[in-house]
Amino acid sequence: MLKTLATIPNAPVVAVSDTYPAYLRRGLRGAPKAKGYRSHTELLADENVQAVVIATPTHQHRDVVNAALEAGKHVYCEAPMAHTIDDARVIANAAE
């Protein structure tokens, strides 16, 4: 998905985040102009980041999506959106 996103001229990939160094390096190879972050909180603090794609394990979606929304970012979350119905409700309420 990252290589495809990196080809969109009016929506450049400016940042990549992964806690696992090998995956972070791989992500940066797919988007060579992007800045790398070892945590999503560091990425979300970057003012150049306007939107995020959440592609973490499902049980982490709630926390990462909420942090991104609180940071004022546009969010695309991969399916399934949440690990539990309660998590889905929290995400939906935060998005409102």
Side-chain angles (χ1 to χ4, degrees):
M1 176 192 322
L2 184 58
K3 286 184 181 183
T4 302
L5 289 172
T7 65
I8 301 171
N10 59 346
V13 176
V14 298
V16 175
S17 176
D18 204 300
T19 58
Y20 185 60
Y23 289 164
L24 178 57
R25 287 190 299 273
R26 183 169 65 179
L28 291 170
R29 282 194 303 272
K33 295 181 182 179
K35 185 171 181 181
Y37 293 97
R38 292 200 46 149
S39 76
H40 70 278
T41 54
E42 293 173 1
L43 180 143
L44 294 175
D46 186 337
E47 294 180 4
N48 291 318
V49 174
Q50 297 178 10
V52 295
V53 175
I54 309 298
T56 60
T58 307
H59 70 277
Q60 295 175 345
H61 285 182
R62 174 183 171 167
D63 293 338
V64 179
V65 169
N66 284 341
L69 291 171
E70 287 176 13
K73 310 300 183 187
H74 298 278
V75 175
Y76 175 86
C77 184
E78 69 177 355
M81 180 177 74
H83 188 62
T84 66
I85 291 176
D86 287 338
D87 285 356
R89 286 185 180 122
V90 169
I91 290 170
N93 288 335
E96 287 181 1

